[in-house]
DNA sequence: CCGAAGTTTCAGTAAATACTGAAATTATGA
DNA sequence: TCATAATTTCAGTATTTACTGAAACTTCGG
């Protein structure tokens, strides 16, 4: 028999999946990918493609693409069960690991290309001998320096053990 | 006469504007908004709507919407010149100020709503007395705690004076 | 090596997002 | 106050991004 608690949990989970999916949009992550991640984060057991399709009411292609994308991020991993031919997926549930994965991925997708552009413009404007040219070069230089610096800091922080990061943060908040 | 340096600068600037605009996409910022920001960041003088339209080859409506959005973020400000009827715009050029503005805005748009969802799910799953229910509640709790904590830390850092932040960062990288 | 179960790809379509251009509104100074 | 310059709004359209569903491909036990 399905108790009242089971119903409440089912609703809470569905709510979390739907809302987290909507949020994904603001994170540069598509809705489905965020929903699958939410689903797996709150699922005790590893589940297969067909169950994902059914729970989220999405097509096989969509489920497949986004599961693979999540695997490539490292936010979920594939599980092979003995005697089972198909693949199952389970989420990384440790919050610090999730954070470091997302931080790294965002650096790769958002910061590194920006640094590339800045360095190129820095080169292209080197030695332009007019007041405007020097001002432009100076602005590029400041931006590149700051972004590079911030990127290193973020890297360092997300490479820390959770305990160390926690200590550091606690000092900041005190 | 327009020297070779002037041509080089013009090209470098156009390149920066175009590429920065393309990057904006990966930042949850639309292309035009990022382009206008790039244009103004590398423009020594405040410029008006019509010049923005011409330099970027965009419509008045588009220019208007995105200029206002940038003003609302605080990344650019309006300038009124005496004897001029129209408004001019100039960008905030200080990299630390740009960083704190972007950090605050992203927290508001990305982190705060996530915290809201997590707290609601935390409430909805309180006291569900099954093993699965407790696991769900626990996972929500860990996520909410971490996200809230990280949000506070980010706030604290982006509220610092640049010099202090620099000191802190230098310590991290050493 | 065959057939079924499972996975991957992708052309076509749907949905979300951004942009245009012109009309409506507001502000200015003569 | 009026004429006009400037700003704001928004319906319609274009562009970009995401999703479907079915076909092609791969894998594995028998």
């Amino acid at each position: 028999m399905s108790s009242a608690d089971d119903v409440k949990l089912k609703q809470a989970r569905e709510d979390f999946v739907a809302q987290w999916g909507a949020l994904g949009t603001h994170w540069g992550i598509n809705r489905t990918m965020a929903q699958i991640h939410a689903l797996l984060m709150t699922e005790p057991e590893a589940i297969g493609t067909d169950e994902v399709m059914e729970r989220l009411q999405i097509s096989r292609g969509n489920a497949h693409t986004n599961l693979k994308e999540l695997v490539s991020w490292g936010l979920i991993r594939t599980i092979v069960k003995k005697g089972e031919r198909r693949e199952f997926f389970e989420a990384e549930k440790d919050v610090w690991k999730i954070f470091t994965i997302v931080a790294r991925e965002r650096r790769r997708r958002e910061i590194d290309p920006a640094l590339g552009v800045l360095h190129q413009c820095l080169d292209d404007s080197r030695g332009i001998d007019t007041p405007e040219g020097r001002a432009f070069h100076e602005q590029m230089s400041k931006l590149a320096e700051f972004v590079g610096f911030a990127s290193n800091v973020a890297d360092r922080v997300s490479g820390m053990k959770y305990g160390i990061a926690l200590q550091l943060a606690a000092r900041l908040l005190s």
Side-chain angles (χ1 to χ4, degrees), chain A:
Chain A
M1 166 215 155
S2 172
S3 76
D5 274 353
D6 288 342
V7 174
K8 272 168 74 181
L9 175 59
K10 189 160 166 270
Q11 283 179 347
R13 226 206 290 274
E14 273 174 18
D15 204 44
F16 175 64
V17 169
Q19 295 207 250
W20 201 254
L23 285 181
T25 301
H26 305 294
W27 280 76
I29 287 168
N30 76 47
R31 194 192 339 282
T32 305
M33 185 170 157
Q35 282 182 341
I36 295 178
H37 185 225
L39 178 65
L40 288 174
M41 267 201 304
T42 58
E43 199 62 35
E45 295 292 320
I47 65 183
T49 305
D50 289 80
E51 185 164 354
V52 170
M53 287 167 61
E54 197 202 306
R55 299 272 295 266
L56 303 181
Q57 294 290 299
I58 58 176
S59 72
R60 181 171 304 280
N62 194 11
H64 174 79
T65 305
N66 286 292
L67 281 166
K68 288 290 132 138
E69 186 72 3
L70 282 164
V71 169
S72 90
W73 279 49
L75 287 171
I76 68 176
R77 42 183 165 272
T78 54
I79 298 285
V80 275
K81 295 192 182 174
K82 57 187 172 186
E84 277 282 8
R85 196 151 151 186
R86 70 205 139 117
E87 287 186 317
F88 290 81
F89 301 90
E90 77 176 9
E92 172 59 59
K93 294 200 175 69
D94 181 278
V95 287
W96 179 249
K97 281 200 186 140
I98 293 171
F99 171 78
T100 59
I101 287 169
V102 172
R104 242 192 288 280
E105 190 64 25
R106 294 194 103 178
R107 207 218 41 199
R108 197 178 66 73
R109 302 196 314 162
E110 300 180 356
I111 312 223
D112 292 351
L115 261 182
V117 170
L118 291 169
H119 280 132
Q120 191 204 309
C121 293
L122 209 49
D123 280 351
D124 293 348
S125 63
R126 197 182 308 286
I128 296 182
D129 200 15
T130 62
E132 290 215 342
R134 279 188 292 275
F136 178 83
H137 189 74
E138 174 69 10
Q139 183 66 17
M140 288 301 102
S141 170
K142 279 185 181 150
L143 280 168
E145 189 194 3
F146 183 81
V147 174
F149 187 64
S151 169
N152 282 338
V153 171
D155 241 23
R156 199 55 83 91
V157 171
S158 67
M160 286 176 174
K161 290 264 175 281
Y162 186 39
I164 307 288
L166 214 57
Q167 259 182 279
L168 177 73
R171 195 133 46 83
L172 270 174
L173 292 181
S174 69

